[in-house]
Amino acid sequence: MKKLLLLVAFLSYANSFSQSADLDREYFNVSYVKLPSTPILENDKRTYSINLRGVSIEGFSRVNYPGILDVNYNFSGTTVRNVKIDKIKHEKKDKDGNVTSTWYTYKAKASFTSSAGITVINALTKESNEKAFQESSDYTSDEFSSYYKAERHYALNKYDIKNNHASKHKSLIKNSVRYYLNSKYGYVPYTNQNEFLWILGSKKHPEYAKHHEAYQKVKEIFAKMKYDEPTDEMAKELEPIIAYFNDVVPRFEGNKRKLRKVRYASYYNIAKIYYYLDMPEKVKEYAQKIIDNDYDKSDGKGFIRTAEDLIETLKRNQMSSRHMKVLTEDLRNDVVEEEEVVVEEQSKENEISLELQKAYLVSAKNDTLLLNINNNDISKIGHTIKTVQLDGKGELVGVLTKNASDCKEVLFIDGTRYKNINFKESAAKSGAVKISSSGKLCKVLFESDKIGLYKFNDTELVILPAGSEKGVSTSGMSFVFGFDKNLVKIAKDCPAVAKKAGEKSYKNTEESLLKFCEELTNCEGDQASK
């Protein structure tokens, strides 16, 4: 009887280890100072002058000319090009598809480009650096019933149209100037930036409760983090949590994917904690463990790059931590500043704040930022993503464009996800410039451990089979002309689905390909799992 009870206990314990090892992102807050790439090491020498209102350098004192840094801003003007009147054809058809009437409308169109630049003179190094900035936008009028009316409309309003675009450009350029100066010289406090740990999501897993207990403690401890206070006490409080994640590892030994996944979570979480404790050498140690564990080597390599960047940044700034006191002040006498005129159109721009969606962006360096994205720009996410910048009062400051190559994933609050997928667009012509290996941001339609389905530019479907590093566009010529054969090949490990594909049961549509992905994922007899 005793042996039977032991056998039952063993089987129950073994079964618990076979439970799902799904991981969820669980977020916590961090706070630190973003250190500059070109620091001025002596605090009493951090002074600057600038001839543009509303732009400050964090950690510096603004003074009357001269300062240690003297910034001269020059707006070069706004140019207009490609002014034209577009003719749009309209047709009315009967129920048989025959054209019964035709008419035309007309739109005025133009493109505007504004240029500006700054010159930065560094009194310490005696160096003078220049940086150019440019913004462009297009104008399209309402439709008019005649070419003359459209042309007349533009002729009468062209100065107001140009001024409106120039005003928007000046605001965006000012934001770019601020970002550039602070990246290069400023000590910018970052607070309430959202980061995450990988925490077990299945309640049946034996470590589920302790994983969540550890996460809650991490969340509580990091909630006390201040950008201007040392992290020594926090490091001591986090030692038991780090010890717990380390203790998990030997209890899940083996080469099965689920076991490697649990170990990966421990290594990842410890590396993340050490990164925000400014301990880059420990980050590298656990990054190597992630690589050796062979669940997601790319994250390990990413941590190594991030740690090396932090080592170089701390060395360049002659600091051991990203936590410091930051004093930003204005020591000038009363002066009259040059300020670019902002026309009334700018007030309409503020309406954009009423149409924003919040999203978490995971960068290529695995940093996570909470962003605001205009509803109208969500469908345009692809090679780039536009983010709306607001000030402390919620007023529009400008719009920043991030390249897809700098983004790993975008997760909207409503659950919509975009992911960086490497594939060749169907529109890419032979002999064209090679498409970046970093990929493009695609909307996630379906993901499993066997296949992924994505949508690029809200039109082009992309399939990513399991084990592949590169997806394939279903709009590409080779895929379209061999559609059924391609699906058969993808489903080769599932005879039932492969047979259906060979019988032309699937179409090259989003709905049908979603069905294909679901049936392939749920294929009976396939034991592969993530």
Side-chain angles (χ1 to χ4, degrees), residues 30-287:
V30 298
S31 182
Y32 59 94
V33 175
K34 187 176 181 297
L35 301 176
S37 61
T38 309
I40 291 177
L41 299 175
E42 298 179 57
N43 187 55
D44 61 352
K45 288 186 169 61
R46 293 176 190 156
T47 64
Y48 74 102
S49 70
I50 188 171
N51 62 336
L52 181 62
R53 188 187 306 168
V55 175
S56 61
I57 303 178
E58 298 289 330
F60 279 67
S61 298
R62 187 170 182 178
V63 297
N64 295 324
Y65 177 87
I68 295 298
L69 297 178
D70 293 311
V71 184
N72 182 54
Y73 169 80
N74 179 53
F75 184 76
S76 303
T78 302
T79 59
V80 58
R81 56 187 176 82
N82 299 331
V83 179
K84 61 181 180 178
I85 307 298
D86 271 2
K87 181 179 181 180
I88 303 102
K89 183 178 181 180
H90 303 270
E91 292 180 341
K92 184 177 181 179
K93 298 180 180 180
D94 61 21
K95 61 181 180 179
D96 297 321
N98 299 313
V99 177
T100 58
S101 62
T102 302
W103 71 99
Y104 298 90
T105 56
Y106 303 84
K107 288 184 177 182
K109 290 187 174 183
S111 298
F112 297 90
T113 300
S114 297
S115 300
I118 59 172
T119 301
V120 183
I121 300 175
N122 188 327
L124 295 179
T125 63
K126 310 301 181 184
E127 294 177 339
S128 176
N129 297 310
E130 296 183 352
K131 174 68 176 177
F133 301 89
Q134 190 176 85
E135 288 291 338
S136 298
S137 56
D138 297 325
Y139 170 77
T140 301
S141 73
D142 294 333
E143 294 188 14
F144 294 88
S145 59
S146 70
Y147 184 100
Y148 170 78
K149 289 181 179 179
E151 185 179 45
R152 186 65 176 164
H153 162 80
Y154 184 80
L156 292 174
N157 296 282
K158 62 182 180 181
Y159 295 112
D160 286 340
I161 294 170
K162 180 179 179 180
N163 287 338
N164 288 340
H165 283 264
S167 174
K168 296 175 187 177
H169 294 170
K170 290 171 184 176
S171 178
L172 295 174
I173 288 173
K174 180 188 289 188
N175 191 60
S176 297
V177 170
R178 182 187 299 110
Y179 179 82
Y180 171 79
L181 290 173
N182 279 284
S183 295
K184 195 171 180 66
Y185 306 105
Y187 296 81
V188 183
Y190 275 76
T191 57
N192 298 323
Q193 299 297 303
N194 285 274
E195 262 298 346
F196 69 89
L197 301 181
W198 282 120
I199 301 299
L200 288 162
S202 173
K203 292 183 179 180
K204 294 182 180 180
H205 197 281
E207 293 296 327
Y208 174 85
K210 291 183 178 179
H211 244 232
H212 279 263
E213 181 181 345
Y215 159 66
Q216 288 298 331
K217 289 180 180 178
V218 169
K219 184 178 180 180
E220 292 169 5
I221 294 169
F222 271 98
K224 298 181 289 185
M225 177 179 267
K226 306 295 182 183
Y227 72 84
D228 56 353
E229 295 180 2
T231 59
D232 298 348
E233 290 300 319
M234 288 182 55
K236 291 179 181 178
E237 291 184 67
L238 288 164
E239 284 178 0
I241 291 95
I242 293 172
Y244 162 70
F245 283 123
N246 271 318
D247 290 342
V248 170
V249 172
R251 290 188 275 114
F252 289 84
E253 292 183 348
N255 291 324
K256 288 186 177 180
R257 185 172 174 81
K258 289 181 180 179
L259 297 174
R260 286 185 284 125
K261 190 172 186 179
V262 176
R263 297 198 299 269
Y264 157 82
S266 282
Y267 296 144
Y268 183 99
N269 294 343
I270 294 172
K272 184 66 68 71
I273 291 170
Y274 278 135
Y275 177 72
Y276 285 108
L277 290 177
D278 294 328
M279 302 171 70
E281 292 297 342
K282 297 295 290 185
V283 175
K284 290 172 68 175
E285 176 186 334
Y286 281 86

Side-chain angles (χ1 to χ4, degrees), residues 297-309:
K297 291 185 178 182
S298 63
D299 276 349
K301 294 175 182 178
F303 269 124
I304 288 177
R305 290 192 298 270
T306 301
E308 289 176 344
D309 286 345

Side-chain angles (χ1 to χ4, degrees), residues 392-420:
K393 298 180 181 179
E395 298 291 329
L396 177 72
V397 175
V399 177
L400 283 181
T401 299
K402 296 179 179 291
N403 291 325
S405 58
D406 297 327
C407 309
K408 192 173 183 180
E409 185 175 355
V410 180
L411 176 62
F412 285 86
I413 298 299
D414 65 4
T416 304
R417 289 173 59 214
Y418 284 78
K419 197 170 181 179
N420 191 302

